Amino acid sequence: MRRLHVISGKGGTGKTTVAAALALALADKGRRTLLVEVEGRQGIAQLFEAQALPYEERRIAIGPGGGEVHALAIDPERALLDYLQMFYRLGGAGRALRRLGAVDFATTIAPGLRDVLLTGKACEAVRRRGPDGRFTYDAVVMDAPPTGRITRFLGVNSEVAGLARVGPIHHQAQAVMRVLRSPETAVHLVTLLEEMPVQETADGIAELRSAGLPVGATVVNMVRPPVVAGVPGPADGDEPARLAALTAALARAGLPEPARTAAPLLAQGRAYAHRLALEADRRAELAALGLPVHELPLLADGIDIAGLYRLARLLRDQEW
């Protein structure tokens, strides 16, 4: 079963919302999930209407199935100190490094180090076991960087392992890549039924596959519900006939000034039909990518706690 779910997507598609909803969905029947944030935006805290997350794992919600959702906002500086303590046993020297600004210096001269620390911390949570030998978390959900950066973000440990061919850094980078490339991991891409997000999703899937990283599903977010479907009418292009038929229908319904009302209504109908046709094209493009496609509705009242739970219940019915 997949235990690490990496959620990416073009900016504005709602990937953080989907990550939070999926973490809730996976917290089923006593299961424990960890929701990880790596971009420092505190988006998880805002969604759950909680205080800013510290650099520690804490329970923030109960899943619709009764399990627990814990959350962690990974701080690169603290993660580096954890790393140095784990491999080099620095003790108080680590605190001294922090005061001197050495941590900021290290992540500045080696930009890829930041991504190594972020992915490494998440993968450590995936591998961690309790005193009873069982995994601490049944699933880890990562709210990851956008699609345009996700392949490099996840693949940075492979580069580091090649540069540092011996020692703890090499072994740590290899261990992280084993988790990221294993069947336990899946990268899910969030998109909208619009041209640019779908194209970026297709490009992202191609890059991930080329890098040997496992792709899971595409999640179409904010799908607008159909207003009407299957309404018969005159053939396309027969505008006068459509206008006359609609005017007569409005007159029979007793509406005032049907002739003035019919034209704007007809224009709205054309726009709606055009949107449905475009969305059908986008769905066909996503289906051609050969991945499962899950759809989530646009919530008219916006995203709040109740909305998150509603989305989570929909995601519980899907295969992850």
Side-chain angles (χ1 to χ4, degrees), residues 53-291:
L53 294 174
Y55 182 65
E56 63 181 40
E57 297 160 20
R58 59 169 53 180
R59 192 179 73 175
I60 59 170
I62 300 295
E68 295 182 349
V69 178
H70 295 245
L72 170 67
I74 302 179
D75 175 69
E77 182 180 79
R78 296 286 298 275
L80 178 58
L81 293 178
D82 285 351
Y83 180 88
L84 294 174
Q85 177 62 26
M86 182 185 306
F87 291 107
Y88 298 102
R89 301 290 188 267
L90 290 184
R95 292 188 293 273
L97 283 174
R98 188 177 183 183
R99 288 195 300 270
L100 292 171
V103 173
D104 289 337
F105 177 73
T107 55
T108 299
I109 63 172
L113 177 60
R114 181 180 182 277
D115 292 347
V116 168
L117 297 169
L118 296 173
T119 54
K121 187 66 177 178
C123 289
E124 182 275 326
V126 173
R127 300 192 304 262
R128 191 190 315 155
R129 294 179 183 269
D132 58 358
R134 300 177 60 185
F135 286 115
T136 304
Y137 294 104
D138 298 288
V140 176
V141 179
M142 180 196 296
D143 179 19
T147 313
R149 203 166 73 82
I150 187 62
T151 302
R152 177 158 181 84
F153 173 76
L154 296 177
V156 68
N157 284 277
S158 182
E159 298 178 16
V160 170
L163 292 174
R165 297 187 179 276
V166 294
I169 295 178
H170 173 79
H171 295 304
Q172 167 71 2
Q174 281 193 321
V176 170
M177 289 311 300
R178 281 196 296 269
V179 173
L180 294 178
R181 288 191 169 131
S182 76
E184 289 186 312
T185 298
V187 184
H188 310 295
L189 298 182
V190 183
T191 187
L192 305 177
L193 289 176
E194 298 173 6
E195 183 176 2
M196 289 300 294
V198 168
Q199 183 59 55
E200 190 163 316
T201 297
D203 295 341
I205 290 172
E207 290 179 2
L208 289 165
R209 286 172 169 166
S210 177
L213 294 164
V215 188
T218 55
V219 181
V220 182
N221 196 24
M222 293 185 272
V223 177
R224 288 173 284 187
V227 179
V228 293
V231 178
D236 291 340
D238 195 355
E239 197 71 10
R242 286 180 180 272
L243 184 58
L246 182 57
T247 301
L250 295 176
R252 288 194 301 271
L255 295 179
E257 302 185 87
R260 292 184 58 184
T261 306
L265 283 178
L266 192 60
Q268 290 185 17
R270 284 197 304 270
Y272 177 72
H274 181 64
R275 177 170 69 82
L276 288 184
L278 292 178
E279 289 181 349
D281 291 342
R282 302 292 86 78
R283 283 189 173 94
E285 292 174 17
L286 291 172
L289 297 175
L291 296 173

